[in-house]
Amino acid sequence: MGTGIPCSLSVTLPLPPSVNEYWKPLPNGRGLYLTKSAKQFRTDVGWLMKGKPTFGDAELAVMIQWHMTDRRSDVDNRIKPVLDALEHAGTFDDDRQVVDIRAVKMHPVKGGRCHVKVWTLQRDDDDLSNHP
């Protein structure tokens, strides 16, 4: 590419808390706070991302393969916490850069985990089919 921006990154992360357990309302009802489990997830992701490539402000695509703890878990409640933690770790500047996202539920595993692939998106506005 020549821009200094990596083309792709793959990493295995722990299973994040559900968005329902990530933020909680403040007692006064005026805003939200990060829960203890959310802060721990962010810290864990931060350590796992140390030394990994970063994408700056490039447009991105993300694929997440979920290995939940059981078959009943929803994938959509865990996407935002993953993007939030990757942004917090400096993997990209802002999760608004993610213009293509895919989530696939895989077989359950004890403890759960997710495989995340992030790649730069070279697209024409009519075609999002250029994923690896």
Side-chain angles (χ1 to χ4, degrees), residues 10 37 41 64-65 71 103 119 126:
S10 293
S37 62
F41 179 70
I64 307 171
Q65 292 180 315
R71 294 195 184 280
W119 65 94
D126 296 328

Side-chain angles (χ1 to χ4, degrees), residues 5-9 49-55 90-92:
I5 298 171
C7 292
S8 68
L9 163 76
M49 298 310 294
K50 287 231 185 273
K52 300 260 194 275
T54 60
F55 293 89
T91 304
F92 41 78

Side-chain angles (χ1 to χ4, degrees), residues 17-25 35 37 74 76-78 81:
S18 165
V19 75
N20 300 327
E21 296 299 321
Y22 203 75
W23 294 281
K24 293 290 183 182
T35 64
S37 62
D74 293 341
D76 60 327
N77 285 340
R78 297 181 191 256

Side-chain angles (χ1 to χ4, degrees), residues 42-51 89:
R42 274 186 170 189
T43 298
D44 294 345
V45 170
W47 280 108
L48 290 167
M49 298 310 294
K50 287 231 185 273

Side-chain angles (χ1 to χ4, degrees), residues 10 20 26 31 36 39 46 51 56 58 63 72-73 75 78 84 89-90 96 99 106-107 111 117 121 129 131:
S10 293
N20 300 327
L26 289 167
K36 185 177 179 179
K39 290 177 185 176
M63 175 174 271
R72 297 175 309 206
S73 298
V75 296
R78 297 181 191 256
D84 179 63
R96 286 180 289 191
V99 297
M106 309 299 280
H107 63 281
K117 183 167 187 177
L121 195 58
S129 63
H131 58 87

Side-chain angles (χ1 to χ4, degrees), residues 98-116:
V98 178
V99 297
D100 183 358
I101 190 161
R102 295 134 200 250
V104 180
K105 190 188 266 189
M106 309 299 280
H107 63 281
V109 297
K110 185 175 181 176
R113 65 177 178 267
C114 60
H115 301 290
V116 180

